Amino acid sequence: MLALAPASAGAQGADPDDDKTLIFAPGDPEMAAATAQALAGLDEFLAMAAAPPSGTDRFKLKVKVRDGHVTEHFWVIPFRRTETGFVGILANQPEQVRTVVLGQNIEFTRDDISDWGYTRDGKQIGSFTVCVMFKRMSKEEADYMRDKYGYDC
C-alpha cells in the first residue's frame, strides 16, 4: 500500500491482502508514468471488466481518497459503474486518511482512478503502480509479492 503523508503523495499497496505502506513524493516521476500508463488503458479495462473474458477475474481499481491535506490511494474490489461514476468496496486499511474504513462502500469518479488491474489465468495484468512499488521494497518483499500474486514486473 502506498500512503500519502500530509506533505506527500502516494498510492496504496501491491495487493489488498498484503497491505504495505510506501510513501511517494507528489510528482514522483516513476509513479506519475505508471499512473499515466494505467489511465491510457482505462477505457479498454473498463470494457473488459463489464464483460470479463474466460479466465479473468478479480477486476480492481485503485482510487485516491482525500482527507484534508492527506491523500491515500486504495484498491476497490469489487466495483461497478453508476450514473455518476463508480461505487465499490475499499479493500485496504487506511493509514493516514480517516474519512473511510476498510470494507466501506465508497463512491468515486473517473478522475479519482489512478490504476487498475485484474487476474488472467493466475497472472496479474495492469497494476502499473505496483511495479513501481516493487522497486522501493526489499528484494525479498518484492519476490514474495510476485510469487504469491502472479505479478510479472
Side-chain angles (χ1 to χ4, degrees):
M1 145 166 83
L2 300 165
L4 294 176
S8 59
Q12 198 93 4
D15 192 278
D17 299 322
D18 278 304
D19 264 354
K20 299 228 182 279
T21 300
L22 297 177
I23 296 174
F24 286 80
D28 179 273
E30 287 184 289
M31 192 57 74
T35 298
Q37 184 178 8
L39 295 178
L42 182 58
D43 288 330
E44 184 179 327
F45 167 78
L46 291 171
M48 183 182 299
S54 177
T56 63
D57 66 354
R58 202 153 163 81
F59 287 82
K60 58 189 175 184
L61 290 172
K62 187 181 276 189
V63 302
K64 61 186 167 193
V65 175
R66 290 179 189 88
D67 181 3
H69 296 291
V70 178
T71 301
E72 279 185 82
H73 295 247
F74 300 93
W75 288 112
V76 176
I77 310 168
F79 68 90
R80 66 177 172 78
R81 283 187 176 217
T82 66
E83 287 184 21
T84 59
F86 301 86
V87 65
I89 298 174
L90 195 78
N92 301 102
Q93 183 67 44
E95 293 286 326
Q96 301 285 325
V97 170
R98 298 293 174 228
T99 55
V100 295
V101 296
L102 174 67
Q104 178 179 336
N105 229 13
I106 64 167
E107 294 182 21
F108 55 96
T109 68
R110 183 183 181 99
D111 291 341
D112 297 318
I113 297 171
S114 57
D115 201 355
W116 54 262
Y118 66 97
T119 303
R120 179 174 54 210
D121 299 324
K123 297 288 183 191
Q124 292 288 328
I125 308 297
S127 301
F128 304 99
T129 58
V130 175
C131 294
V132 174
M133 292 175 55
F134 286 163
K135 296 176 184 179
R136 313 281 170 94
M137 292 178 179
S138 70
K139 181 181 180 339
E140 294 77 19
E141 287 177 308
D143 288 347
Y144 168 81
M145 297 299 290
R146 285 183 184 102
D147 292 343
K148 185 170 181 179
Y149 297 108
Y151 289 98
D152 187 21
C153 57

